[in-house]
Amino acid sequence: MRYQKIPNETIRRLPMYLRALAVYSENGSSYISSEELANDLGLNSPQIRKDLSYFGTFGKRGMGYEVDKLTEQIRVILKIDVTQKAVVIGAGRLGCALASYEGFGTYGFSIAAILDNSPKKIGKKVGKIKIESVSKLAFIKRKKIKLAIVAVPAQFAQEVTDKLIKAGITGILNMTVCNLKVPKRVTVRSIDIAMELGVLPYYMK
Amino acid sequence: MRYQKIPNETIRRLPMYLRALAVYSENGSSYISSEELANDLGLNSPQIRKDLSYFGTFGKRGMGYEVDKLTEQIRVILKIDVTQKAVVIGAGRLGCALASYEGFGTYGFSIAAILDNSPKKIGKKVGKIKIESVSKLAFIKRKKIKLAIVAVPAQFAQEVTDKLIKAGITGILNMTVCNLKVPKRVTVRSIDIAMELGVLPYYMK
DNA sequence: TCCTGTGAAATCTTTCACAGCT
DNA sequence: AGCTGTGAAAGATTTCACAGGA
């Protein structure tokens, strides 16, 4: 394996592989071929093999990939082999939905708290997660939390983000419609749900 | 302008442009240059010009693009120039959050109902939107709704999807972790929020 | 025989540089 | 002068085809 630049698209697919692998593991399969994996995910098999080949040789010819081993290897690649703590900012409907979303577990994330600025909400709980004051940024520093999910109204998004970065956050999942300005050392990924819906009609019929 | 295949990535960006244009319109700007637009969205200007050029010549040299006119033109391209009705399936935390999300308005979507199968929830309201029985698929047919946002627990996602398609849905925004199997005539886009979070640690530091 | 790993080709997307309109 | 529209080049990603190990 020569050195090659790893495509961003490859990285984007790795969590998909993890998700599928979790299902195989539950079902007790110990090996999985790139063909089966591709079928289940709606991809094609050379793509999966190529994706994995950027990081090493994980499969056995004639057999496929060992489910549990590959799971662990992908976790290491993605740096989620240890549980990562994250905070949700904004205890609105979306923030609460995210905080209680079990899917994060699959990737080894745990939601440490929800922060909000409404005195009415502070102190309440969403599932097992407590709503704390957003002014408690010391909380983030103390717990060495590096990840934040921003789900506040758009007009406060940049302001909140600036504060988060001061508190030591270096990775942000932005659920608002803002284009957040952050220093280079901070990584942002944005999801605009309406935008995804926005392209559907174009492709329909 | 010769015919050229329109990149999917171009389509994906059009809603972003709409979002930014809505802000300019509110601020009373009547013209916007590709340079400004690019700055605000974190893109570069030739990309924006190229994207738009696939569909025609919308700008005025020396001036830029007329905000309201370009807005309308992009809406037409995306086929969202008339309000599109959508239903949300699943009245859990995420489903309710989505149903009450104002962002859909920007792209001309309106949420016609939330469907759920829990008798406890049916009849209640989320904001102004009523929760209906998921068995009421006639509702979708009668109102000629083509778009559905699926936010049910993963194990029911495929089953619900099959029913939706029978009721005439041809575009699905899939918020579950399932890879939905649908006939070719149906378009699906999937968002797995945890997956987006899953790639952040890789890029951090 | 089955299925991986991987260069090389094909395809898709972005960037560049500049002609040309206002 | 300023900013668009666009062919052509560069770059990124996917697909292909097949060599080779289990």
Side-chain angles (χ1 to χ4, degrees):
Chain A
M1 187 192 62
R2 276 214 337 264
Y3 173 77
Q4 282 183 268
K5 201 200 159 298
I6 293 157
N8 287 322
E9 292 298 303
T10 291
I11 301 300
R12 220 175 43 77
R13 280 187 295 269
L14 293 181
M16 285 177 64
Y17 301 162
L18 273 187
R19 209 173 68 190
L21 288 166
V23 176
Y24 302 136
S25 184
E26 259 176 48
N27 295 348
S29 323
S30 53
Y31 277 88
I32 190 76
S33 71
S34 59
E35 190 63 38
E36 278 178 88
L37 189 53
N39 262 333
D40 291 347
L41 291 172
L43 303 172
N44 61 14
S45 60
Q47 176 151 74
I48 291 176
R49 295 199 299 278
K50 173 133 280 209
D51 280 349
L52 296 175
S53 79
Y54 288 114
F55 303 100
T57 70
F58 300 141
K60 280 199 181 61
R61 291 170 199 228
M63 296 278 279
Y65 299 88
E66 201 175 331
V67 171
D68 292 341
K69 212 166 129 195
L70 184 59
T71 299
E72 185 53 24
Q73 279 155 334
I74 295 179
R75 281 181 185 282
V76 170
I77 294 165
L78 289 175
K79 303 186 192 165
I80 54 177
D81 49 325
V82 290
T83 299
Q84 299 255 5
K85 275 174 286 193
V87 284
V88 172
I89 318 297
R93 278 208 178 98
L94 184 59
C96 292
L98 292 171
S100 57
Y101 178 54
E102 316 99 32
F104 291 130
T106 317
Y107 304 108
F109 293 105
S110 92
I111 306 296
I114 311 182
L115 308 191
D116 201 291
N117 63 2
S118 155
K120 279 185 195 165
K121 290 176 181 169
I122 293 165
K124 289 193 179 163
K125 280 191 160 193
V126 177
K128 290 184 176 173
I129 303 156
K130 219 170 143 187
I131 303 178
E132 314 261 4
S133 164
V134 78
S135 61
K136 262 200 184 172
L137 292 170
F139 177 85
I140 292 173
K141 265 193 179 142
R142 195 171 64 243
K143 297 236 172 180
K144 296 202 171 105
I145 295 169
K146 298 293 169 207
L147 286 167
I149 303 170
V150 176
V152 300
Q155 68 262 38
F156 306 125
Q158 185 63 57
E159 174 192 334
V160 152
T161 298
D162 296 344
K163 284 185 188 162
L164 289 172
I165 293 171
K166 277 194 193 126
I169 291 290
T170 57
I172 292 173
L173 184 61
N174 173 28
M175 302 297 300
T176 78
V177 295
C178 291
N179 195 256
L180 298 176
K181 313 272 181 197
V182 300
K184 270 197 306 294
R185 67 174 196 286
V186 177
T187 308
V188 178
R189 285 184 77 87
S190 297
I191 303 180
D192 177 348
I193 297 161
M195 226 175 82
E196 300 292 327
L197 193 60
V199 301
L200 270 183
Y202 177 86
Y203 289 107
M204 280 159 64
K205 245 207 323 216
Chain B
M1 186 192 64
R2 277 216 334 267
Y3 174 79
Q4 282 182 269
K5 202 199 159 298
I6 293 155
N8 288 321
E9 293 298 305
T10 291
I11 302 299
R12 221 175 42 75
R13 280 187 294 269
L14 293 181
M16 285 177 64
Y17 300 162
L18 274 187
R19 209 172 67 191
L21 287 166
V23 176
Y24 302 137
S25 183
E26 260 175 48
N27 295 350
S29 323
S30 53
Y31 278 87
I32 189 75
S33 71
S34 59
E35 190 63 40
E36 279 178 86
L37 189 53
N39 262 335
D40 291 346
L41 291 173
L43 304 172
N44 61 14
S45 61
Q47 176 150 76
I48 290 175
R49 294 200 300 277
K50 173 132 278 210
D51 279 349
L52 296 175
S53 79
Y54 288 112
F55 303 99
T57 70
F58 300 141
K60 280 202 181 56
R61 290 168 200 230
M63 295 279 279
Y65 299 88
E66 201 176 331
V67 170
D68 293 339
K69 211 165 130 197
L70 184 59
T71 300
E72 186 52 23
Q73 279 154 334
I74 295 179
R75 281 181 185 281
V76 170
I77 294 165
L78 289 175
K79 304 184 192 167
I80 55 178
D81 49 324
V82 288
T83 299
Q84 300 256 4
K85 276 174 285 191
V87 285
V88 172
I89 319 297
R93 277 208 178 97
L94 184 58
C96 292
L98 292 171
S100 57
Y101 178 53
E102 315 98 32
F104 292 129
T106 316
Y107 304 108
F109 294 105
S110 92
I111 306 295
I114 312 181
L115 308 191
D116 201 290
N117 63 2
S118 156
K120 279 185 195 165
K121 290 176 181 168
I122 293 165
K124 289 192 179 163
K125 281 193 161 190
V126 177
K128 290 183 177 173
I129 302 154
K130 219 170 144 187
I131 303 179
E132 312 263 3
S133 164
V134 79
S135 62
K136 261 200 185 171
L137 293 170
F139 177 85
I140 292 173
K141 264 193 180 145
R142 195 172 62 241
K143 297 237 173 180
K144 296 203 172 104
I145 296 170
K146 297 295 169 207
L147 285 166
I149 304 171
V150 176
V152 300
Q155 68 262 38
F156 306 125
Q158 185 62 58
E159 175 193 333
V160 152
T161 298
D162 295 344
K163 283 184 190 166
L164 289 172
I165 293 171
K166 276 193 194 128
I169 291 291
T170 57
I172 292 173
L173 184 62
N174 173 29
M175 303 297 301
T176 77
V177 295
C178 290
N179 194 257
L180 298 177
K181 313 272 182 197
V182 300
K184 271 198 305 295
R185 68 174 194 285
V186 177
T187 308
V188 178
R189 287 185 76 86
S190 296
I191 304 180
D192 178 349
I193 297 160
M195 227 175 81
E196 299 293 326
L197 193 60
V199 301
L200 270 182
Y202 177 86
Y203 289 107
M204 281 159 62
K205 243 205 327 205

